[in-house]
Amino acid sequence: MSLVFLLLFFVPVAALCWRIVVSKTRAQWIRPGAATAAMITAVGAFVVFDDLATFSFKDWRADIALLASMTGSAYLLVWAQRSRGNRRHRTVSIIAAIVGLVPVAGAVATALLFGGQAQ
């Protein structure tokens, strides 16, 4: 099951890499920002994906990793809202961001509902 979580985290990473290639923006900070967000998301996903089923807010490293794993989704949502270009690219970005937030929402729900009981 943890491999599914990892795949869900990598949907925004793939979308960010795709947007870096197909984007025609003239803003200089967009592409390096997207690459940075993709790397931070990948590192956070690798750190936290194995513990998502029993996640609790007790270890600050896991909390930071969970926050890092949603960086790509947040960047995609901001980029989609700021973008005035192709609507298809915005739609794909929003869908990828939502898919990337699914394991984060599940981990937060697990931590809030079960606390330290999920073993």
Side-chain angles (χ1 to χ4, degrees):
M1 188 63 162
S2 61
L3 184 62
V4 173
F5 293 141
L6 187 63
L7 290 175
L8 288 175
F9 278 128
F10 274 100
V11 169
V13 172
L16 280 169
C17 293
W18 173 71
R19 285 287 307 253
I20 289 170
V21 172
V22 300
S23 175
K24 295 179 182 173
T25 183
R26 295 174 196 243
Q28 297 296 324
W29 60 272
I30 296 267
R31 287 187 181 109
T36 304
M39 288 186 288
I40 291 171
T41 301
V43 169
F46 274 118
V47 170
V48 79
F49 82 96
D50 201 25
D51 298 328
L52 283 180
T54 60
F55 189 81
S56 65
F57 293 110
K58 293 183 180 176
D59 183 22
W60 66 272
R61 288 179 216 103
D63 299 344
I64 297 296
L66 187 65
L67 184 65
S69 68
M70 60 185 273
T71 304
S73 294
Y75 196 90
L76 277 173
L77 288 174
V78 170
W79 193 354
Q81 295 304 313
R82 296 259 181 197
S83 165
R84 288 182 174 77
N86 194 336
R87 289 189 186 269
R88 184 179 44 171
H89 297 304
R90 284 190 292 185
T91 304
V92 169
S93 296
I94 291 171
I95 291 170
I98 291 170
V99 168
L101 289 174
V102 166
V104 174
V108 170
T110 298
L112 294 177
L113 291 176
F114 299 113
Q117 299 171 6
Q119 297 290 332

